[in-house]
Amino acid sequence: MILKTKNGATPTQPRNRSAGYRKRRKQPTPILHRFVQFFKRRSWPQALALALVALFVFFLLHWLIVTLSGTSETVASIPETPTPTPASKTPEARTFIFTDGEGHPVDWERLTDAWAAEAGYEKRYTMTDAERLEIAQVITAEAEGEPFAGKVAVAQCILQVCEDEGIRPPEALERYKYSTRRPEPTDEALEAVEAVFDFGHVATSEPIRYFYAPDLVESNWHESQVYVMTINNHKFFKEAEQ
């Protein structure tokens, strides 16, 4: 369509409004450009502080993401284990230390049974580990400063009473007024119990039953029995014939 203007003006073609609008319309500004302009409008100290804050927030978010993802993977990777049901405990055998130095635990009742079976002999006296421990404790209390032969003689007195009267060691220790102290047994005391009760070794062939220390006490009753021998500070006796 051709338009005429007033006063005989030369007609012109109509303008394309959409094309003009596109020319006048601002193009979108890139984010990076806006970011740069944002910092340009501020002083360098402010810009540096904002940059550091942004960097800190970025690393903090990164650390949180990695930590949370790692935790979830760890939890997911743990297999479910069934709750164990409590089992009845079997009582452990009483053990004692019987070697020089640090020593090692020994189940003496089983060990001496094995020794006897291997050597082809019968133990002279069968006792429990608890009885063995108590005898060794009493020998330690009664003859700790005595030589090994003196400890063997004390063990022989205890065994002689047990065999003569048919009583167990705890009863013999109580009836014949042995020491009531129960210290940690020495190695020699345990060896003396083993030598006498298991292997049948003796300090004398005489059936000694009594002993006392003359330097510590006086005992007319002991002296009324049959004297057999003296080992260091102890005098040993067998029973006088009635």
Side-chain angles (χ1 to χ4, degrees):
M1 174 178 77
I2 300 175
L3 297 177
K4 293 184 178 180
T5 62
K6 292 181 179 181
N7 301 325
T10 305
T12 60
Q13 294 293 331
R15 293 183 179 180
N16 191 335
R17 293 185 179 180
S18 60
Y21 177 77
R22 285 197 299 268
K23 290 181 181 179
R24 292 191 302 271
R25 180 179 161 187
K26 292 183 179 180
Q27 296 296 326
T29 305
I31 295 177
L32 182 61
H33 179 73
R34 292 183 181 182
F35 187 75
V36 172
Q37 293 299 322
F38 173 80
F39 280 101
K40 281 184 177 181
R41 289 194 293 270
R42 284 163 177 77
S43 62
W44 280 108
Q46 292 178 343
L48 182 61
L50 290 173
L52 291 175
V53 170
L55 189 63
F56 172 76
V57 171
F58 171 77
F59 281 109
L60 180 61
L61 291 175
H62 177 72
W63 177 81
L64 287 174
I65 292 172
V66 172
T67 303
L68 292 177
S69 62
T71 303
S72 61
E73 291 177 0
T74 302
V75 173
S77 64
I78 298 176
E80 294 184 359
T81 55
T83 304
T85 56
S88 58
K89 294 184 178 180
T90 56
E92 296 181 357
R94 188 81 174 266
T95 57
F96 309 110
I97 303 302
F98 178 76
T99 54
D100 294 331
E102 295 182 358
H104 59 274
V106 176
D107 182 348
W108 281 107
E109 186 174 2
R110 294 181 183 179
L111 181 61
T112 53
D113 285 344
W115 285 346
E118 183 178 354
Y121 72 91
E122 292 185 3
K123 292 195 298 185
R124 177 169 177 178
Y125 191 89
T126 301
M127 58 185 165
T128 65
D129 277 0
E131 291 172 334
R132 182 185 300 272
L133 173 62
E134 188 173 15
I135 296 170
Q137 288 173 325
V138 169
I139 293 174
T140 302
E142 295 280 5
E144 186 173 6
E146 296 296 308
F148 182 67
K151 295 180 176 66
V152 169
V154 172
Q156 182 179 346
C157 289
I158 299 171
L159 176 59
Q160 193 68 49
V161 169
C162 291
E163 291 180 335
D164 290 348
E165 302 186 17
I167 57 178
R168 300 303 301 177
E171 185 179 353
L173 296 174
E174 182 180 0
R175 182 179 299 182
Y176 284 82
K177 308 300 180 183
Y178 280 85
S179 174
T180 57
R181 294 194 302 115
R182 297 294 184 268
E184 187 70 18
T186 63
D187 289 345
E188 277 198 343
L190 285 164
E191 289 178 7
V193 177
E194 175 196 344
V196 174
F197 283 78
D198 296 323
F199 299 125
H201 296 172
V202 292
T204 174
S205 59
E206 297 288 342
I208 54 176
R209 291 167 57 102
Y210 317 109
F211 68 94
Y212 82 107
D215 292 343
L216 300 179
V217 295
E218 293 183 0
S219 177
N220 293 328
W221 182 87
H222 280 89
E223 294 295 341
S224 67
Q225 304 302 304
V226 179
Y227 169 78
V228 175
M229 63 182 180
T230 299
I231 299 179
N232 205 20
N233 295 317
H234 284 160
K235 294 179 68 174
F236 293 87
F237 305 82
K238 66 180 181 179
E239 190 167 19
E241 294 181 2
Q242 301 295 333

